[in-house]
Amino acid sequence: MKKLAIRLYLLLIILAGLTALGFFFFHPPTVGDAFAAFENAYQGEFRKIAVLFLAGFVGAILIFAALVLILSFLMEKWLGEWVNKIGVLSEKRKVFIILISVILLASFVAGQFSLPADYLEDPLHRLFLRVTQPVFIFIFVLSIGTLFLVLAVSGKMKIFLRPDFLWPALIFLILLGAGAILVKSRFGYKQISGPRPQFDVAGNPLLGYQVIFAAAVAGIFFLLKRFLVKRWRREDQGLWKVFDLGTVILVLLLSFFLWNSEPLQPHTFVDQPRPPNYEMYPDSDALLYDRTAQSLLAKGRFLTYLGDEKPDIGLRPGLTFYQAILHTIAGLAYRDIVPFQLLIFSFLPVLIYIFASLVHTRTTGFFAALLIMIRDFNGQVMPNIDAGVHAKLLESEIPMIMGMLLFLIIFLVWLRSERRGVLLPLLGGGILGWSMLIRLESVLLIPVAGLMALVTLWDKKTILLKSSGFLIFGVILVISPWMYRNWYYTGDIYLNRPDNRIGLLRESFQRLREEIRGEGSFIYPEEIGRSRDFRESEQTASIHKGHGPIQASALPRNMRGLSTVIHEISEEDLNISILDHLTNNLVQSVISLPSNPLFLNVDYLSKAAIGKAERYYGGLLYSPEKYVRSLPYWWNEWDGSIPPQSFLLVIVNIFLISNGIFVIFRHEKRGFWLLLMLYGVFVGLYSLIRRSGGRSLQISDWVVLVFYSAGLMNLFYRVWVCLSNHSEGLISLRSDLRLKVLDLPDHYSGYVMGCVALGLLFLGSLPPLAEVVFHDQYPETEMEKQLRYILDDRKARFPEEQRKVLKSFLDNGGEAVYGRALYPRQFFAGETTLETKSSFYGPMQRRGMSRFEFFVAGTKNVWGVLKREDTPQVFPHGVSILSIGCEMGGNLDAIVVLLLNEENEIQEIYWRDSDLDEIVGCPLPQSENSGSIDMK
């Protein structure tokens, strides 16, 4: 057996050497590569080029020399002696593990350098790898052969026949094959008819050295746990509760201080600082939610203007109510509530720790919690890169994930308990109901939990029906007060908003699609304003200077499908679109994990060697921003392909996920099926409504992170067992988290159930009750009083001429708005902005003009624009104002803004840049140099 292994190894080396030489001779560096490298010669690069070519030549000679030696019979004898030594050394577990680790590391490094080098920026480095590629191919194959030789001579080949290897290997091959087919087919990026809405870029990334650091910390945590196991009895649950409580507090504090260590950065949902206050304000969807919360504080009503005929809609009441409470406690400014939100959202890693500990081990839970907090931190430190949401944004994804995790923890504890009462289903239903008030998609947990309970309790139908009824009852207790509120104000019964996700699903099933206009057709500017996906940019600023029709070919290519009409298409095209998004979701679940070993990037190594790593990569430990710029997954132009530098790490990620799937299935089958169904249901839903990647995937991609953590920690356990010479199996090492259900005496259970039910009803009643508690601070009567003072009282700070203008203007269609001014910002003509506000949500279509913008929450919720070149010197966020202008469709073209102090006295007055003679009524005239204002 040993002699056969040696001869097979020699044959493998000969084949590897011939392959390397053939690659060198049949795929040499091209003339273009040489010319590109020699372009740097005038910069004094002759010596560097000579060294690179010499290295490649020496490498080729070494391969040839190795082949000559291998062909000799002495090689077999020499190898036989080394094989005997390896057999003796492999009996020592620590030496064996170290030897295997070195071989695997060498094979990974050689494999990474043997990949195509087109991704390198420096042509010299590309030429170097092209020349030395045969050498690394030879080393890679030699390393793999050496690995199997060591396993063969040490008698460890039988591990490949064990079920705990065969099953993960089968899962790995299935996932790898499916992924390769999807990537090769480029699904998710096919050019089909109509626009491709919401193909978001990849989510917040994890970097390789961050995963290594988190694994090292988790290893210390594991050793601490093993130390305590020896000191404490495993049955002493009191001490383990103290340990878990300490771990929860540690994770909570780590999350808060890590997330709070960096200042808030501009983002899709955070506008850049602007004069006069240079504060950061929420933008896009976050602006929509914060405006709703601010409306509650100012008017005592949840008011979300959505550009339709439902002004009384309060979007995401669970989220906006929570934000209103934060503003009440901390203040009206965005920066005031961020620390409080971080403290609350720091419970996300805590919930991840608890859930992962339930389905696998405490160490896996701790490691997964570290990865979640690090990934969120990466999202915070990448300015202007929309890779998903993070804890500092006023978005709904994180609180929804927290509600989902809390529900899953309660449900899993209930499934594992011997006495399956109805208290936990009732409580879980209440938590699920509140999650639905944050995001309606949480309702998908009901079929997931129902199917899991049906399979588990098939022979106990009484418990199943009773528990299901109490879960639904808990949901109804929480959501019914808000649904009644909506019916009372609008006459419609709905939870979040009519015709949102349901409308998108209906559109999919009715096979509706937007039809692109022809190249010769004409598009009117107001049609562009009706598009939800329109974004102002330098490309489009010049298009909107007139009111006439625009030829479709004049639009940028990415906008031609946005100014469209709904049109019926074939079932085939619709199915392709859904498959596109499904594929995009599946692929992005893996590539946001470590996918580029920059430490093995020749460009990075050369910059680090000359002390320029800080300039080009953000430091020796490269920054998340530089990392995402090294891969195409975060580029809008990504075509769906996997670049060469990601091949090996993506394969490693799939292997770890496969291993995690197996170990969680073996340890906690119910938890495994819950994770699998949850991931499948949410990915399927967002694919059906044609949304994928980024924040659309963030709601469910934490499931992949749990599998990844379990797979990596399982490998750690195996290595630890070998190094510590323990013969005990992995089951005895787990000591996973056990949460017990509180057993109540029968004469107390009814009382407790009643209290919980009343508590859930009160919880659901909080948003409607808030509209009673927060009174209207800007009533119509106070506005009329202010107008009378301005127009009639001689003590007012208005010259007679201006007073006459205001009276005439109000008599000719002008309107007054009294309320709280929020998010004041000055924009200047021609500047490049980072904002992404959609015209769908009510702001004006800006046409490259200088203007001062603000939102008013008061007698009317409107977006105000004051056309002026100079920035107001004093205009605090949250100041009370009285503004007069032309209002249309949620927008106010203001002619004057009066700032009021706490006593409602006039503090400052700001006028529009126009002659008083031009202000006669609505609509206001548009000047030549300022462009036009198209209102919704």
Side-chain angles (χ1 to χ4, degrees):
M1 177 66 182
K2 190 177 296 185
K3 200 168 186 179
L4 177 63
I6 294 173
R7 290 181 176 177
L8 289 175
Y9 181 66
L10 289 173
L11 179 62
L12 177 66
I13 294 177
I14 293 172
L15 293 177
L18 292 175
T19 302
L21 284 177
F23 191 91
F24 182 80
F25 287 113
F26 290 102
H27 295 278
T30 63
V31 177
D33 293 332
F35 272 113
F38 278 96
E39 285 181 358
N40 293 330
Y42 67 92
Q43 299 177 355
E45 298 287 347
F46 282 117
R47 183 176 301 176
K48 184 176 180 181
I49 294 172
V51 171
L52 293 177
F53 270 108
L54 180 62
F57 179 74
V58 171
I61 294 300
L62 288 177
I63 293 176
F64 182 75
L67 289 176
V68 173
L69 290 174
I70 291 167
L71 293 175
S72 66
F73 291 101
L74 294 176
M75 192 67 179
E76 181 176 347
K77 181 180 179 181
W78 179 75
L79 270 178
E81 295 176 357
W82 274 103
V83 164
N84 292 330
K85 294 180 180 179
I86 291 174
V88 175
L89 292 175
S90 62
E91 295 178 358
K92 301 178 180 179
R93 292 190 176 186
K94 294 181 179 180
V95 176
F96 177 75
I97 290 295
I98 293 173
L99 181 60
I100 294 295
S101 301
V102 171
I103 295 173
L104 288 175
L105 180 61
S107 63
F108 182 82
V109 173
Q112 188 67 28
F113 281 121
S114 64
L115 294 171
D118 297 336
Y119 61 90
L120 295 175
E121 296 181 2
D122 193 324
L124 285 172
H125 298 156
R126 289 199 298 269
L127 184 62
F128 168 70
L129 285 187
R130 286 295 300 273
V131 172
T132 58
Q133 196 173 25
V135 179
F136 290 114
I137 291 176
F138 176 77
I139 296 174
F140 174 73
V141 178
L142 183 66
S143 301
I144 298 299
T146 304
L147 174 65
F148 283 98
L149 177 66
V150 171
L151 292 175
V153 300
S154 59
K156 299 292 194 303
M157 291 294 289
K158 59 184 179 181
I159 65 173
F160 295 113
L161 301 177
R162 294 173 55 177
D164 54 355
F165 175 82
L166 291 176
W167 282 111
L170 178 61
I171 297 171
F172 167 72
L173 292 176
I174 293 174
L175 294 181
L176 183 63
I181 293 173
L182 293 177
V183 171
K184 188 67 175 177
S185 68
R186 301 286 177 85
F187 257 117
Y189 301 88
K190 287 183 177 295
Q191 297 296 327
I192 58 176
S193 61
R196 302 180 303 159
Q198 298 298 315
F199 277 90
D200 289 338
V201 299
N204 297 327
L206 274 171
L207 280 58
Y209 68 84
Q210 293 174 338
V211 172
I212 294 173
F213 171 77
V217 176
I220 296 173
F221 176 86
F222 172 78
L223 295 177
L224 174 63
K225 189 183 72 171
R226 292 300 304 165
F227 173 79
L228 295 177
V229 166
K230 295 179 180 179
R231 296 294 184 272
W232 299 346
R233 296 192 308 274
R234 194 180 297 275
E235 297 77 13
D236 195 344
Q237 295 297 323
L239 293 176
W240 284 110
K241 289 179 180 178
V242 173
F243 176 81
D244 288 322
L245 179 61
T247 304
V248 164
I249 294 174
L250 175 63
V251 171
L252 183 69
L253 294 178
L254 282 176
S255 302
F256 176 76
F257 286 111
L258 177 64
W259 293 347
N260 201 39
S261 62
E262 288 290 329
L264 187 64
Q265 301 278 3
H267 190 274
T268 298
F269 305 112
V270 182
D271 195 12
Q272 58 185 331
R274 299 183 183 279
N277 300 324
Y278 293 97
E279 294 182 14
M280 287 188 175
Y281 300 125
D283 208 347
S284 190
D285 290 357
L287 174 66
L288 190 68
Y289 305 144
D290 195 62
R291 280 165 47 179
T292 306
Q294 298 280 6
S295 297
L296 174 65
L297 300 180
K299 288 294 293 178
R301 287 280 297 278
F302 289 97
L303 299 172
T304 305
Y305 179 76
L306 294 174
D308 51 25
E309 298 177 357
K310 301 290 184 181
D312 292 301
I313 289 176
L315 193 62
R316 306 206 192 285
L319 177 69
T320 53
F321 170 76
Y322 141 80
Q323 291 176 355
I325 296 300
L326 289 188
H327 279 303
T328 304
I329 296 172
L332 297 178
Y334 190 2
R335 65 176 183 275
D336 295 335
I337 67 173
V338 167
F340 291 89
Q341 174 160 298
L342 290 181
L343 184 60
I344 295 172
F345 285 2
S346 294
F347 281 93
L348 172 62
V350 171
L351 294 172
I352 287 287
Y353 164 74
I354 295 174
F355 182 79
S357 299
L358 285 172
V359 298
H360 194 223
T361 69
R362 284 183 173 93
T363 308
T364 296
F366 187 73
F367 180 60
L370 291 177
L371 294 186
I372 282 288
M373 70 175 71
I374 292 173
R375 190 177 72 169
D376 194 280
F377 175 78
N378 289 341
Q380 296 178 24
V381 299
M382 295 190 302
N384 310 320
I385 298 176
D386 182 12
V389 301
H390 54 74
K392 290 181 179 177
L393 302 178
L394 303 181
E395 285 294 307
S396 58
E397 281 80 4
I398 290 181
M400 177 189 172
I401 295 172
M402 293 173 65
M404 290 167 54
L405 281 167
L406 190 56
F407 171 79
L408 291 174
I409 290 170
I410 291 175
F411 181 68
L412 190 56
V413 169
W414 176 77
L415 282 180
R416 291 168 61 165
S417 64
E418 297 179 358
R419 180 181 179 182
R420 297 186 178 97
V422 294
L423 178 60
L424 287 184
L426 178 64
L427 186 60
I431 293 170
L432 184 56
W434 188 261
S435 295
M436 291 168 61
L437 292 178
I438 296 174
R439 283 185 78 98
L440 184 57
E441 295 94 316
S442 301
V443 72
L444 293 177
L445 286 176
I446 293 180
V448 169
L451 183 59
M452 190 72 251
L454 181 64
V455 173
T456 305
L457 303 175
W458 178 255
D459 56 340
K460 300 178 181 178
K461 294 182 176 59
T462 302
I463 297 178
L464 176 63
L465 293 176
K466 189 176 180 181
S467 301
S468 300
F470 272 91
L471 187 145
I472 300 298
F473 180 58
V475 172
I476 294 174
L477 284 174
V478 174
I479 68 174
S480 56
W482 183 255
M483 296 184 71
Y484 172 78
R485 178 264 183 200
N486 292 336
W487 173 81
Y488 179 81
Y489 282 120
T490 67
D492 294 331
I493 298 177
Y494 61 90
L495 187 59
N496 181 44
R497 58 174 282 200
D499 201 28
N500 185 16
R501 294 286 186 257
I502 296 175
L504 291 171
L505 281 173
R506 185 173 63 248
E507 180 182 331
S508 292
F509 286 113
Q510 289 178 348
R511 300 178 178 88
L512 298 177
R513 174 62 63 94
E514 296 180 344
E515 177 189 35
I516 299 181
R517 299 287 183 96
E519 290 291 323
S521 62
F522 290 92
I523 298 169
Y524 288 83
E526 58 268 24
E527 293 183 353
I528 299 176
R530 285 199 293 267
S531 170
R532 289 186 59 177
D533 298 309
F534 172 73
R535 296 293 184 266
E536 186 83 16
S537 69
E538 290 184 79
Q539 281 184 299
T540 60
S542 61
I543 295 175
H544 309 293
K545 290 185 177 179
H547 289 280
I550 305 162
Q551 196 162 7
S553 58
L555 286 174
R557 181 174 298 274
N558 62 344
M559 285 189 58
R560 296 179 194 172
L562 299 180
S563 50
T564 57
V565 294
I566 298 297
H567 182 73
E568 188 171 357
I569 64 158
S570 67
E571 181 178 356
E572 180 182 359
D573 282 347
L574 178 70
N575 292 336
I576 289 176
S577 176
I578 294 173
L579 287 174
D580 287 341
H581 286 283
L582 177 62
T583 302
N584 193 31
N585 279 320
L586 295 176
V587 173
Q588 287 200 22
S589 297
V590 178
I591 60 177
S592 59
L593 297 170
S595 302
N596 186 8
L598 276 179
F599 285 127
L600 299 179
N601 185 297
V602 181
D603 285 340
Y604 165 81
L605 293 173
S606 65
K607 294 294 188 297
I610 60 178
K612 292 185 178 181
E614 180 71 30
R615 176 182 175 184
Y616 290 95
Y617 293 93
L620 288 176
L621 297 178
Y622 44 88
S623 67
E625 181 182 1
K626 300 298 184 182
Y627 171 82
V628 300
R629 295 188 187 280
S630 70
L631 290 168
Y633 314 134
W634 290 269
W635 304 351
N636 290 328
E637 296 79 13
W638 182 39
D639 62 356
S641 60
I642 304 297
Q645 65 268 35
S646 292
F647 286 169
L648 291 184
L649 270 185
V650 167
I651 292 174
V652 171
N653 292 337
I654 295 175
F655 169 74
L656 293 176
I657 292 170
S658 305
N659 192 33
I661 289 174
F662 171 73
V663 298
I664 290 181
F665 176 79
R666 185 178 60 175
H667 184 60
E668 178 53 73
K669 291 182 175 61
R670 290 164 295 195
F672 163 78
W673 287 115
L674 276 177
L675 288 172
L676 192 63
M677 286 190 294
L678 183 145
Y679 179 79
V681 164
F682 277 97
V683 167
L685 170 70
Y686 278 95
S687 301
L688 281 174
I689 62 176
R690 301 186 300 284
R691 301 288 187 272
S692 60
R695 55 187 296 229
S696 300
L697 183 62
Q698 195 166 348
I699 294 173
S700 56
D701 69 347
W702 60 269
V703 173
V704 178
L705 202 63
V706 171
F707 284 135
Y708 179 83
S709 302
L712 188 56
M713 288 300 100
N714 182 61
L715 291 182
F716 174 80
Y717 297 150
R718 292 182 177 279
V719 172
W720 183 84
V721 169
C722 292
L723 292 179
S724 59
N725 292 323
H726 278 262
S727 59
E728 54 183 327
L730 295 180
I731 298 295
S732 61
L733 294 178
R734 282 188 174 122
S735 183
D736 62 333
L737 184 62
R738 300 286 177 179
L739 299 179
K740 291 188 175 180
V741 181
L742 178 63
D743 291 329
L744 298 171
D746 293 336
H747 58 281
Y748 281 128
S749 59
Y751 173 77
V752 173
M753 289 287 294
C755 291
V756 171
L758 289 176
L760 293 178
L761 182 62
F762 176 74
L763 177 66
S765 302
L766 285 177
L769 286 176
E771 295 187 318
V772 178
V773 175
F774 292 100
H775 63 279
D776 185 0
Q777 300 187 31
Y778 300 97
E780 294 276 353
T781 55
E782 186 63 30
M783 182 185 71
E784 294 173 358
K785 178 181 176 181
Q786 287 289 339
L787 282 176
R788 286 195 301 269
Y789 171 73
I790 294 171
L791 300 178
D792 301 328
D793 197 326
R794 299 298 177 183
K795 296 180 181 179
R797 297 170 50 189
F798 275 91
E800 187 63 27
E801 183 183 5
Q802 295 178 356
R803 196 189 308 270
K804 290 180 180 179
V805 169
L806 291 181
K807 285 183 178 181
S808 174
F809 182 77
L810 290 171
D811 292 337
N812 288 276
E815 293 193 40
V817 177
Y818 172 57
R820 178 174 293 158
L822 305 164
Y823 329 117
R825 292 172 292 185
Q826 177 73 34
F827 295 85
F828 299 99
E831 70 172 325
T832 302
T833 66
L834 301 177
E835 60 172 342
T836 57
K837 271 193 299 300
S838 168
S839 62
F840 181 74
Y841 295 136
M844 295 181 181
Q845 289 299 304
R846 274 85 60 179
R847 299 295 180 254
M849 62 182 180
S850 296
R851 74 272 181 193
F852 183 77
E853 296 189 7
F854 52 92
F855 175 74
V856 183
T859 54
K860 285 189 175 182
N861 280 15
V862 294
W863 194 270
V865 173
L866 185 66
K867 292 177 61 177
R868 54 182 291 132
E869 296 289 339
D870 298 331
T871 304
Q873 296 301 312
V874 178
F875 207 114
H877 172 74
V879 67
S880 297
I881 68 165
L882 177 65
S883 181
I884 299 174
C886 297
E887 191 271 335
M888 181 184 297
N891 304 279
L892 182 71
D893 192 0
I895 63 171
V896 65
V897 179
L898 289 75
L899 271 61
L900 309 175
N901 58 21
E902 295 180 357
E903 288 76 27
N904 270 344
E905 298 174 347
I906 299 176
Q907 183 179 3
E908 298 288 343
I909 303 175
Y910 298 109
W911 284 87
R912 171 191 175 100
D913 285 348
S914 297
D915 294 335
L916 292 180
D917 296 339
E918 299 177 356
I919 303 175
V920 293
C922 293
L924 290 168
Q926 306 301 324
S927 59
E928 291 292 332
N929 59 353
S930 62
S932 63
I933 302 177
D934 294 337
M935 297 186 184
K936 280 187 54 65

